[in-house]
Amino acid sequence: MSDQEFLRYPDLASRTLGGAVVHANDEAFAERENLIRPGRATFDASDFGHKGKVYDGWETRRRRTPGSDWAIVRLGVPGLVRGVVVDTSWFKGNYPPEISVEATGVEGYPTNAELEAATWTTLVPRSPVGGDRDNLFAISPESEAGSRRYTHVRISMHPDGGIARFRVHGTPVTDPRLLVTGGLDLAALENGGLIAGCSDEFYSSPTNLIGPGQSRNMGEGWENARRRDDGNDWVEFDLAGQGHIRLLEVDTSYYLFNAPGAVSLEGCDASSADPGRPDSWFPILDRVDVRPDTRHRIVVDSPAATRIRLNVYPDGGVARLRAHGVLTEDGYADVWLRWVNSLPTSQAHGALTGLGLSPTDVESVLVTRPASKLAELPAILAEAVRATRPVS
């Protein structure tokens, strides 16, 4: 592979994919998080702060003892690394003379201590770099290092200095254990999910939790006030329809020092139980510790639910909640009924004829609305609904 060819692969470490700089031994002059920001680094020659010249990158202090400085990046999407870019833009008299890059693959959401104790594989041996430029290092896919799936990458500077951006280009390799849904995000606003209740929304709205895409900063999640009692904060969600949750995603991205210490999730089937009664709720995810600035993906297998409650302990911010799963037969029918019942008449003609209904059948639907169950719809429409339901 040429020095340039690997650039066509996605940057697996990018912040926009959920990457994070989880640990660094030093960031005295410029913070480590800049390493994986999207876009090129910027520079203002007149911009000075209390610590000196402000750099859009990661910069450590001048080292006076033996050793090297390093930062660990959790890949937003684990995969095979095809090459890395060590971008030293604007670092002209303070770039590192040499760098090295290692990688590791670990289960779950390791602590910093667990990462330091992990087994690391060398991707780029100690190599010279230049200042104020893109330093490219291709990794052969035929090599042992290039044929493994990694979750974390460590970049080291020998002995110290500054790096503007660090790109890790490669091929994503998904974890098949997480491919269990066969469905959709039951909580997503765009799929019909809604906020049903919240203990506290002092800083930002819980509706952000089920918005589309990933959050871009701390203000795009849900953050509550600091709790000073023995309780915990929570948010309740009405799901798009009755369904079974198979995969949870609790995303604490950008919450570095104000993430919850732990979370749990409960469910309730409001079609047969009163959500106002404590005994109507059942556990979906028992209390589990969570990490700051991390997308947690957790396999679950819930009973049928129409409402869920996310508990955070004791408080703290969450960027997104995803509840991937499959609708039950009743839940699927309810989603269709909600849509059919709410279609404007002018749209209903085009939408329903597109499903194979005749003009006469469409009129039958319109006079039937609002239908409360599938059996009330004309048989041809009810059959079309059943035929389109995915196999769970």
Side-chain angles (χ1 to χ4, degrees):
M1 180 177 294
S2 72
D3 288 345
Q4 300 285 334
E5 188 179 349
F6 72 81
L7 295 175
R8 65 186 175 88
Y9 292 100
D11 176 12
L12 303 179
S14 173
R15 182 78 230 185
T16 58
L17 289 183
V21 186
V22 296
H23 195 22
N25 71 316
D26 185 287
E27 50 184 333
F29 284 118
E31 60 189 13
R32 67 198 192 206
E33 285 81 11
N34 290 329
L35 279 172
I36 58 171
R37 289 178 59 187
R40 301 291 299 188
T42 59
F43 183 80
D44 181 350
S46 64
D47 192 7
F48 284 82
H50 181 71
K51 295 181 179 180
K53 182 71 195 72
V54 175
Y55 278 90
D56 182 9
W58 168 52
E59 186 183 11
T60 63
R61 73 193 73 202
R62 298 190 186 209
R63 178 172 282 277
R64 305 305 188 197
T65 58
S68 57
D69 292 324
W70 50 266
I72 296 177
V73 176
R74 187 192 65 240
L75 300 181
V77 178
L80 307 174
V81 180
R82 294 292 175 246
V84 301
V85 179
V86 180
D87 175 6
T88 56
S89 292
W90 308 110
F91 290 97
K92 300 177 181 180
N94 50 353
Y95 63 91
E98 296 177 305
I99 62 91
S100 61
V101 180
E102 303 160 282
T104 189
V106 293
E107 285 283 291
Y109 306 98
T111 64
N112 294 336
E114 289 170 335
L115 283 171
E116 290 189 49
T119 300
W120 293 84
T121 298
T122 298
L123 295 181
V124 180
R126 188 163 171 162
S127 304
V129 295
D132 195 26
R133 71 186 67 176
D134 287 339
N135 298 273
L136 279 60
F137 300 91
I139 298 166
S140 171
E142 284 78 38
S143 68
E144 178 73 8
S147 64
R148 296 290 178 260
R149 175 186 183 271
Y150 301 115
T151 59
H152 295 74
V153 175
R154 179 167 62 195
I155 180 164
S156 299
M157 300 188 291
H158 307 284
D160 55 38
I163 297 171
R165 297 289 188 268
F166 179 51
R167 308 302 189 198
V168 183
H169 296 273
T171 305
V173 178
T174 192
D175 185 339
R177 295 172 297 180
L178 301 177
L179 303 181
V180 296
T181 69
L184 73 161
D185 181 359
L186 298 172
L189 187 67
E190 59 188 356
N191 292 334
L194 290 171
I195 300 298
C198 180
S199 63
D200 183 282
E201 49 185 302
F202 184 86
Y203 288 108
S204 49
S205 170
T207 299
N208 291 338
L209 288 167
I210 54 175
Q214 295 180 15
S215 64
R216 295 170 295 178
N217 55 59
M218 194 167 64
E220 294 188 355
W222 164 59
E223 185 181 6
N224 42 62
R226 299 192 185 204
R227 181 170 282 272
R228 304 305 189 188
D229 57 24
D230 295 331
N232 70 279
D233 286 314
W234 53 267
V235 182
E236 286 184 14
F237 309 80
D238 280 328
L239 300 178
Q242 185 191 65
H244 299 281
I245 300 171
R246 302 283 177 80
L247 179 68
L248 285 175
E249 183 173 314
V250 181
D251 182 1
T252 59
S253 290
Y254 295 100
Y255 292 97
L256 292 170
F257 308 107
N258 50 354
V263 301
S264 68
L265 195 88
E266 302 168 272
C268 172
D269 185 359
S271 66
S272 59
D274 178 8
R277 293 175 55 91
D279 58 2
S280 297
W281 293 82
F282 48 82
I284 295 177
L285 174 68
D286 291 331
R287 180 168 172 164
V288 60
D289 291 343
V290 294
R291 301 283 296 158
D293 199 25
T294 298
R295 290 174 62 197
H296 305 80
R297 303 178 75 199
I298 307 165
V299 174
V300 297
D301 189 11
S302 78
T306 61
R307 180 175 292 191
I308 58 175
R309 179 193 294 137
L310 173 68
N311 297 299
V312 297
Y313 302 95
D315 54 34
V318 178
R320 293 288 188 271
L321 176 78
R322 307 301 188 198
H324 302 284
V326 291
L327 292 165
T328 63
E329 184 175 353
D330 288 343
Y332 191 70
D334 287 342
V335 169
W336 271 86
L337 287 168
R338 192 179 307 130
W339 180 72
V340 170
N341 286 336
S342 62
L343 278 176
T345 300
S346 58
Q347 183 184 1
H349 284 282
L352 298 179
T353 54
L355 292 170
L357 276 68
S358 68
T360 301
D361 292 324
V362 173
E363 290 301 324
S364 297
V365 173
L366 296 180
V367 299
T368 301
R369 300 191 304 175
S372 60
K373 53 187 177 181
L374 206 59
E376 296 176 7
L377 297 176
I380 188 170
L381 179 56
E383 184 56 36
V385 171
R386 295 189 188 96
T388 57
R389 181 174 180 243
V391 178
S392 61

